[in-house]
Structure formats: structure tokens, C-alpha cells
Short mmCIF file of all heavy atoms in Angstrom, two decimals:
data_model
loop_
_atom_site.label_atom_id
_atom_site.label_comp_id
_atom_site.label_asym_id
_atom_site.label_seq_id
_atom_site.Cartn_x
_atom_site.Cartn_y
_atom_site.Cartn_z
N GLU A 1 -2.83 -3.18 8.68
CA GLU A 1 -3.07 -1.91 9.37
C GLU A 1 -2.31 -1.84 10.69
O GLU A 1 -1.79 -0.80 11.07
CB GLU A 1 -4.57 -1.71 9.62
CG GLU A 1 -5.35 -1.39 8.37
CD GLU A 1 -6.79 -0.96 8.64
OE1 GLU A 1 -7.38 -1.41 9.64
OE2 GLU A 1 -7.33 -0.17 7.86
N GLU A 2 -2.26 -2.97 11.38
CA GLU A 2 -1.55 -3.02 12.66
C GLU A 2 -0.05 -2.81 12.45
O GLU A 2 0.61 -2.11 13.24
CB GLU A 2 -1.83 -4.37 13.34
CG GLU A 2 -1.49 -4.43 14.81
CD GLU A 2 -2.12 -3.30 15.66
OE1 GLU A 2 -3.34 -3.03 15.54
OE2 GLU A 2 -1.37 -2.69 16.43
N ILE A 3 0.50 -3.37 11.38
CA ILE A 3 1.94 -3.21 11.09
C ILE A 3 2.26 -1.73 10.85
O ILE A 3 3.20 -1.18 11.43
CB ILE A 3 2.38 -4.04 9.86
CG1 ILE A 3 2.27 -5.54 10.14
CG2 ILE A 3 3.82 -3.69 9.45
CD1 ILE A 3 2.45 -6.43 8.92
N ILE A 4 1.46 -1.06 9.99
CA ILE A 4 1.80 0.34 9.69
C ILE A 4 1.45 1.25 10.86
O ILE A 4 2.09 2.28 11.06
CB ILE A 4 1.18 0.84 8.35
CG1 ILE A 4 -0.34 0.72 8.31
CG2 ILE A 4 1.80 0.10 7.18
CD1 ILE A 4 -0.96 1.29 7.04
N ARG A 5 0.47 0.85 11.67
CA ARG A 5 0.15 1.64 12.87
C ARG A 5 1.31 1.56 13.85
O ARG A 5 1.77 2.58 14.38
CB ARG A 5 -1.14 1.09 13.50
CG ARG A 5 -1.78 2.03 14.51
CD ARG A 5 -3.08 1.46 15.05
NE ARG A 5 -4.15 1.50 14.06
CZ ARG A 5 -4.85 0.42 13.65
NH1 ARG A 5 -4.61 -0.77 14.16
NH2 ARG A 5 -5.79 0.55 12.74
N GLN A 6 1.81 0.34 14.08
CA GLN A 6 2.93 0.18 15.02
C GLN A 6 4.21 0.83 14.50
O GLN A 6 5.06 1.25 15.27
CB GLN A 6 3.15 -1.31 15.32
CG GLN A 6 2.02 -1.91 16.16
CD GLN A 6 2.26 -3.36 16.57
OE1 GLN A 6 3.37 -3.87 16.51
NE2 GLN A 6 1.19 -4.04 16.99
N ALA A 7 4.32 0.93 13.17
CA ALA A 7 5.50 1.58 12.59
C ALA A 7 5.36 3.10 12.62
O ALA A 7 6.28 3.83 12.26
CB ALA A 7 5.71 1.10 11.15
N GLY A 8 4.16 3.57 13.01
CA GLY A 8 3.93 5.01 13.12
C GLY A 8 3.73 5.71 11.78
O GLY A 8 3.98 6.91 11.65
N VAL A 9 3.27 4.95 10.76
CA VAL A 9 3.13 5.58 9.44
C VAL A 9 1.70 5.47 8.88
O VAL A 9 1.49 5.72 7.69
CB VAL A 9 4.14 4.99 8.41
CG1 VAL A 9 5.56 5.35 8.81
CG2 VAL A 9 3.99 3.48 8.28
N TYR A 10 0.73 5.14 9.75
CA TYR A 10 -0.65 5.06 9.24
C TYR A 10 -1.26 6.46 9.29
O TYR A 10 -2.08 6.79 10.13
CB TYR A 10 -1.47 4.06 10.08
CG TYR A 10 -2.72 3.55 9.38
CD1 TYR A 10 -3.49 2.54 9.94
CD2 TYR A 10 -3.13 4.08 8.15
CE1 TYR A 10 -4.63 2.06 9.30
CE2 TYR A 10 -4.26 3.60 7.51
CZ TYR A 10 -5.00 2.59 8.08
OH TYR A 10 -6.13 2.12 7.44
N HIS A 11 -0.83 7.29 8.35
CA HIS A 11 -1.26 8.69 8.31
C HIS A 11 -2.62 8.82 7.61
O HIS A 11 -3.06 7.89 6.92
CB HIS A 11 -0.21 9.53 7.58
CG HIS A 11 1.16 9.43 8.18
ND1 HIS A 11 1.40 9.63 9.52
CD2 HIS A 11 2.38 9.12 7.63
CE1 HIS A 11 2.69 9.47 9.76
NE2 HIS A 11 3.30 9.16 8.64
N PRO A 12 -3.27 9.98 7.73
CA PRO A 12 -4.60 10.17 7.12
C PRO A 12 -4.61 10.07 5.58
O PRO A 12 -5.66 9.86 4.99
CB PRO A 12 -4.99 11.60 7.55
CG PRO A 12 -4.15 11.89 8.74
CD PRO A 12 -2.88 11.13 8.57
N ASN A 13 -3.44 10.21 4.95
CA ASN A 13 -3.41 10.12 3.48
C ASN A 13 -3.30 8.68 2.98
O ASN A 13 -3.17 8.44 1.78
CB ASN A 13 -2.23 10.94 2.92
CG ASN A 13 -0.88 10.42 3.39
OD1 ASN A 13 -0.73 10.03 4.55
ND2 ASN A 13 0.11 10.42 2.53
N VAL A 14 -3.35 7.71 3.91
CA VAL A 14 -3.20 6.30 3.55
C VAL A 14 -4.56 5.60 3.56
O VAL A 14 -5.29 5.67 4.55
CB VAL A 14 -2.26 5.58 4.54
CG1 VAL A 14 -2.14 4.10 4.21
CG2 VAL A 14 -0.88 6.24 4.57
N LYS A 15 -4.88 4.92 2.46
CA LYS A 15 -6.10 4.11 2.41
C LYS A 15 -5.70 2.66 2.14
O LYS A 15 -4.89 2.39 1.25
CB LYS A 15 -7.03 4.60 1.30
CG LYS A 15 -8.31 3.74 1.20
CD LYS A 15 -9.30 4.29 0.18
CE LYS A 15 -10.45 3.33 -0.08
NZ LYS A 15 -11.34 3.15 1.07
N VAL A 16 -6.28 1.75 2.92
CA VAL A 16 -5.95 0.32 2.77
C VAL A 16 -7.16 -0.43 2.23
O VAL A 16 -8.26 -0.36 2.78
CB VAL A 16 -5.54 -0.29 4.14
CG1 VAL A 16 -5.30 -1.80 4.00
CG2 VAL A 16 -4.30 0.41 4.69
N VAL A 17 -6.94 -1.17 1.15
CA VAL A 17 -7.96 -2.09 0.64
C VAL A 17 -7.33 -3.47 0.66
O VAL A 17 -6.26 -3.69 0.10
CB VAL A 17 -8.40 -1.70 -0.79
CG1 VAL A 17 -9.27 -2.79 -1.41
CG2 VAL A 17 -9.16 -0.38 -0.75
N SER A 18 -8.01 -4.40 1.36
CA SER A 18 -7.41 -5.71 1.58
C SER A 18 -8.49 -6.70 2.01
O SER A 18 -9.68 -6.38 1.94
CB SER A 18 -6.32 -5.58 2.66
OG SER A 18 -5.59 -6.78 2.78
N ASN A 19 -8.07 -7.87 2.46
CA ASN A 19 -9.02 -8.86 2.99
C ASN A 19 -9.17 -8.64 4.49
O ASN A 19 -8.25 -8.95 5.26
CB ASN A 19 -8.50 -10.28 2.71
CG ASN A 19 -8.38 -10.55 1.23
OD1 ASN A 19 -9.35 -10.44 0.48
ND2 ASN A 19 -7.18 -10.91 0.79
N PHE A 20 -10.30 -8.07 4.88
CA PHE A 20 -10.50 -7.79 6.30
C PHE A 20 -11.29 -8.88 6.99
O PHE A 20 -12.24 -9.44 6.42
CB PHE A 20 -11.20 -6.43 6.47
CG PHE A 20 -10.26 -5.27 6.31
CD1 PHE A 20 -10.10 -4.66 5.07
CD2 PHE A 20 -9.50 -4.82 7.38
CE1 PHE A 20 -9.21 -3.60 4.91
CE2 PHE A 20 -8.60 -3.77 7.23
CZ PHE A 20 -8.45 -3.16 5.99
N MET A 21 -10.88 -9.18 8.20
CA MET A 21 -11.54 -10.22 8.99
C MET A 21 -12.89 -9.72 9.49
O MET A 21 -13.06 -8.53 9.74
CB MET A 21 -10.65 -10.61 10.18
CG MET A 21 -9.32 -11.19 9.78
SD MET A 21 -8.29 -11.46 11.26
CE MET A 21 -6.96 -12.43 10.56
N ASP A 22 -13.80 -10.65 9.63
CA ASP A 22 -15.13 -10.33 10.15
C ASP A 22 -15.25 -10.99 11.53
O ASP A 22 -15.17 -12.22 11.64
CB ASP A 22 -16.20 -10.87 9.18
CG ASP A 22 -17.60 -10.46 9.61
OD1 ASP A 22 -17.73 -9.47 10.36
OD2 ASP A 22 -18.56 -11.15 9.21
N PHE A 23 -15.37 -10.17 12.56
CA PHE A 23 -15.43 -10.69 13.93
C PHE A 23 -16.86 -10.62 14.45
O PHE A 23 -17.62 -9.71 14.10
CB PHE A 23 -14.53 -9.86 14.85
CG PHE A 23 -13.06 -9.96 14.49
CD1 PHE A 23 -12.45 -9.00 13.69
CD2 PHE A 23 -12.29 -11.02 14.95
CE1 PHE A 23 -11.11 -9.08 13.37
CE2 PHE A 23 -10.94 -11.11 14.63
CZ PHE A 23 -10.35 -10.13 13.83
N ASP A 24 -17.22 -11.57 15.30
CA ASP A 24 -18.57 -11.54 15.90
C ASP A 24 -18.58 -10.53 17.06
O ASP A 24 -17.60 -9.85 17.33
CB ASP A 24 -19.03 -12.94 16.33
CG ASP A 24 -18.18 -13.52 17.45
OD1 ASP A 24 -17.45 -12.75 18.13
OD2 ASP A 24 -18.23 -14.74 17.68
N ASP A 25 -19.71 -10.46 17.76
CA ASP A 25 -19.86 -9.47 18.83
C ASP A 25 -18.86 -9.68 19.97
O ASP A 25 -18.58 -8.76 20.75
CB ASP A 25 -21.28 -9.50 19.40
CG ASP A 25 -22.28 -9.05 18.34
OD1 ASP A 25 -21.84 -8.40 17.37
OD2 ASP A 25 -23.48 -9.36 18.46
N ASN A 26 -18.33 -10.88 20.07
CA ASN A 26 -17.35 -11.17 21.13
C ASN A 26 -15.91 -10.99 20.63
O ASN A 26 -14.96 -11.34 21.33
CB ASN A 26 -17.54 -12.60 21.64
CG ASN A 26 -18.91 -12.80 22.26
OD1 ASN A 26 -19.38 -11.94 23.01
ND2 ASN A 26 -19.57 -13.89 21.92
N GLY A 27 -15.78 -10.47 19.40
CA GLY A 27 -14.43 -10.24 18.86
C GLY A 27 -13.75 -11.51 18.40
O GLY A 27 -12.53 -11.58 18.34
N VAL A 28 -14.55 -12.53 18.03
CA VAL A 28 -13.98 -13.80 17.55
C VAL A 28 -14.16 -13.90 16.03
O VAL A 28 -15.25 -13.60 15.52
CB VAL A 28 -14.65 -15.00 18.25
CG1 VAL A 28 -14.16 -16.32 17.67
CG2 VAL A 28 -14.38 -14.95 19.76
N LEU A 29 -13.12 -14.32 15.34
CA LEU A 29 -13.16 -14.40 13.88
C LEU A 29 -14.25 -15.38 13.42
O LEU A 29 -14.30 -16.52 13.87
CB LEU A 29 -11.80 -14.86 13.34
CG LEU A 29 -11.68 -15.00 11.82
CD1 LEU A 29 -11.85 -13.66 11.14
CD2 LEU A 29 -10.35 -15.63 11.43
N ARG A 30 -15.12 -14.88 12.51
CA ARG A 30 -16.15 -15.79 11.99
C ARG A 30 -16.14 -15.86 10.46
O ARG A 30 -16.89 -16.60 9.86
CB ARG A 30 -17.53 -15.33 12.47
CG ARG A 30 -17.92 -13.94 11.98
CD ARG A 30 -19.33 -13.58 12.35
NE ARG A 30 -19.61 -12.19 11.97
CZ ARG A 30 -20.64 -11.50 12.46
NH1 ARG A 30 -21.45 -12.04 13.34
NH2 ARG A 30 -20.84 -10.26 12.06
N GLY A 31 -15.28 -15.07 9.83
CA GLY A 31 -15.22 -15.09 8.38
C GLY A 31 -14.45 -13.89 7.87
O GLY A 31 -13.72 -13.24 8.63
N PHE A 32 -14.65 -13.59 6.59
CA PHE A 32 -13.98 -12.44 5.98
C PHE A 32 -15.00 -11.56 5.27
O PHE A 32 -16.01 -12.04 4.78
CB PHE A 32 -12.90 -12.92 4.99
CG PHE A 32 -11.69 -13.46 5.69
CD1 PHE A 32 -11.67 -14.76 6.19
CD2 PHE A 32 -10.58 -12.67 5.91
CE1 PHE A 32 -10.57 -15.25 6.88
CE2 PHE A 32 -9.48 -13.14 6.59
CZ PHE A 32 -9.47 -14.44 7.08
N LYS A 33 -14.72 -10.26 5.25
CA LYS A 33 -15.67 -9.31 4.66
C LYS A 33 -15.48 -9.18 3.16
O LYS A 33 -14.35 -9.21 2.67
CB LYS A 33 -15.47 -7.92 5.29
CG LYS A 33 -15.72 -7.85 6.78
CD LYS A 33 -15.33 -6.47 7.32
CE LYS A 33 -15.49 -6.39 8.83
NZ LYS A 33 -14.94 -5.15 9.38
N GLY A 34 -16.58 -8.96 2.46
CA GLY A 34 -16.52 -8.57 1.05
C GLY A 34 -15.91 -9.62 0.13
O GLY A 34 -15.77 -10.78 0.49
N GLU A 35 -15.56 -9.15 -1.05
CA GLU A 35 -15.00 -10.05 -2.07
C GLU A 35 -13.54 -10.34 -1.76
O GLU A 35 -12.80 -9.46 -1.35
CB GLU A 35 -15.07 -9.36 -3.44
CG GLU A 35 -16.47 -8.96 -3.89
CD GLU A 35 -17.22 -10.11 -4.51
OE1 GLU A 35 -16.58 -11.01 -5.08
OE2 GLU A 35 -18.46 -10.12 -4.38
N LEU A 36 -13.13 -11.57 -2.04
CA LEU A 36 -11.74 -11.96 -1.84
C LEU A 36 -10.83 -11.18 -2.80
O LEU A 36 -11.13 -11.05 -3.98
CB LEU A 36 -11.59 -13.46 -2.12
CG LEU A 36 -10.16 -14.00 -2.15
CD1 LEU A 36 -9.56 -13.99 -0.75
CD2 LEU A 36 -10.13 -15.42 -2.71
N ILE A 37 -9.75 -10.64 -2.26
CA ILE A 37 -8.71 -10.05 -3.11
C ILE A 37 -7.52 -11.00 -3.09
O ILE A 37 -7.01 -11.34 -2.03
CB ILE A 37 -8.24 -8.67 -2.58
CG1 ILE A 37 -9.42 -7.68 -2.54
CG2 ILE A 37 -7.11 -8.12 -3.45
CD1 ILE A 37 -9.09 -6.38 -1.82
N HIS A 38 -7.12 -11.46 -4.27
CA HIS A 38 -5.90 -12.27 -4.33
C HIS A 38 -4.98 -11.68 -5.40
O HIS A 38 -5.32 -10.70 -6.06
CB HIS A 38 -6.22 -13.76 -4.57
CG HIS A 38 -6.97 -14.03 -5.84
ND1 HIS A 38 -6.36 -14.05 -7.07
CD2 HIS A 38 -8.28 -14.30 -6.06
CE1 HIS A 38 -7.26 -14.33 -8.00
NE2 HIS A 38 -8.44 -14.47 -7.42
N VAL A 39 -3.82 -12.31 -5.52
CA VAL A 39 -2.77 -11.76 -6.37
C VAL A 39 -3.23 -11.51 -7.82
O VAL A 39 -2.77 -10.58 -8.46
CB VAL A 39 -1.59 -12.77 -6.36
CG1 VAL A 39 -0.64 -12.56 -7.49
CG2 VAL A 39 -0.85 -12.67 -5.04
N TYR A 40 -4.16 -12.34 -8.30
CA TYR A 40 -4.50 -12.26 -9.73
C TYR A 40 -5.89 -11.70 -10.02
O TYR A 40 -6.36 -11.82 -11.13
CB TYR A 40 -4.31 -13.63 -10.38
CG TYR A 40 -2.86 -14.03 -10.39
CD1 TYR A 40 -2.41 -15.16 -9.71
CD2 TYR A 40 -1.91 -13.23 -11.04
CE1 TYR A 40 -1.07 -15.49 -9.70
CE2 TYR A 40 -0.57 -13.56 -11.02
CZ TYR A 40 -0.15 -14.69 -10.36
OH TYR A 40 1.18 -15.00 -10.34
N ASN A 41 -6.55 -11.09 -9.03
CA ASN A 41 -7.83 -10.44 -9.38
C ASN A 41 -7.83 -8.97 -8.96
O ASN A 41 -8.86 -8.39 -8.66
CB ASN A 41 -9.03 -11.19 -8.78
CG ASN A 41 -9.15 -10.99 -7.28
OD1 ASN A 41 -8.22 -10.50 -6.63
ND2 ASN A 41 -10.26 -11.38 -6.71
N LYS A 42 -6.65 -8.38 -8.94
CA LYS A 42 -6.57 -6.98 -8.52
C LYS A 42 -7.23 -6.05 -9.54
O LYS A 42 -7.62 -4.94 -9.20
CB LYS A 42 -5.12 -6.58 -8.24
CG LYS A 42 -4.61 -7.18 -6.92
CD LYS A 42 -3.32 -6.56 -6.48
CE LYS A 42 -2.97 -6.97 -5.05
NZ LYS A 42 -1.69 -6.39 -4.60
N HIS A 43 -7.36 -6.51 -10.78
CA HIS A 43 -8.05 -5.70 -11.79
C HIS A 43 -9.49 -5.45 -11.35
O HIS A 43 -9.95 -4.31 -11.28
CB HIS A 43 -8.03 -6.43 -13.14
CG HIS A 43 -8.97 -5.83 -14.15
ND1 HIS A 43 -8.70 -4.64 -14.80
CD2 HIS A 43 -10.19 -6.24 -14.58
CE1 HIS A 43 -9.71 -4.36 -15.60
NE2 HIS A 43 -10.62 -5.31 -15.50
N GLU A 44 -10.19 -6.53 -10.98
CA GLU A 44 -11.58 -6.39 -10.52
C GLU A 44 -11.64 -5.55 -9.25
O GLU A 44 -12.53 -4.72 -9.08
CB GLU A 44 -12.21 -7.77 -10.25
CG GLU A 44 -12.45 -8.63 -11.47
CD GLU A 44 -11.18 -9.28 -12.00
OE1 GLU A 44 -10.12 -9.22 -11.33
OE2 GLU A 44 -11.23 -9.85 -13.09
N GLY A 45 -10.70 -5.78 -8.36
CA GLY A 45 -10.66 -5.02 -7.10
C GLY A 45 -10.47 -3.53 -7.36
O GLY A 45 -11.09 -2.69 -6.72
N ALA A 46 -9.62 -3.23 -8.34
CA ALA A 46 -9.36 -1.82 -8.68
C ALA A 46 -10.65 -1.19 -9.20
O ALA A 46 -10.98 -0.05 -8.87
CB ALA A 46 -8.26 -1.73 -9.74
N LEU A 47 -11.40 -1.94 -10.00
CA LEU A 47 -12.63 -1.39 -10.57
C LEU A 47 -13.71 -1.22 -9.49
O LEU A 47 -14.56 -0.34 -9.59
CB LEU A 47 -13.14 -2.28 -11.71
CG LEU A 47 -12.18 -2.38 -12.91
CD1 LEU A 47 -12.82 -3.16 -14.04
CD2 LEU A 47 -11.75 -1.01 -13.41
#
């Protein structure tokens, strides 16, 4: 998201589904949100 934001192309018609970091209240990484998306389980992710 930061890459496309800095490139000036994160328009309202864009939706990103990916592995998002989970930060604590102090903004420190403590894990990852939701189910892991990897190269070979995009079928499940799509569903």
C-alpha cells in the first residue's frame, strides 16, 4: 500500500488483499492479521 501510495496510484477503485501486519498500541509489530496468503493458496484466498 505504501508503494502504490507513494507512486500516486492508490485510487478509490483499488482494493488490496494481502498479508497485513498487526501492530500493538505503540505501533510495534506483534504478528500478522488473518489467514496467511502465499503463492499457492490464492484459490482459498479468492474464495
Side-chain angles (χ1 to χ4, degrees):
E1 287 190 330
E2 196 53 48
I3 294 170
I4 58 176
R5 195 177 288 124
Q6 290 184 17
V9 293
Y10 200 173
H11 304 308
N13 62 320
V14 178
K15 179 175 171 67
V16 176
V17 170
S18 187
N19 298 303
F20 282 93
M21 298 174 169
D22 185 22
F23 296 96
D24 65 17
D25 294 341
N26 299 317
V28 174
L29 180 63
R30 62 174 175 197
F32 286 81
K33 297 173 184 172
E35 301 278 331
L36 172 70
I37 299 170
H38 59 78
V39 162
Y40 294 118
N41 74 347
K42 286 193 169 179
H43 167 75
E44 291 77 9
L47 297 186

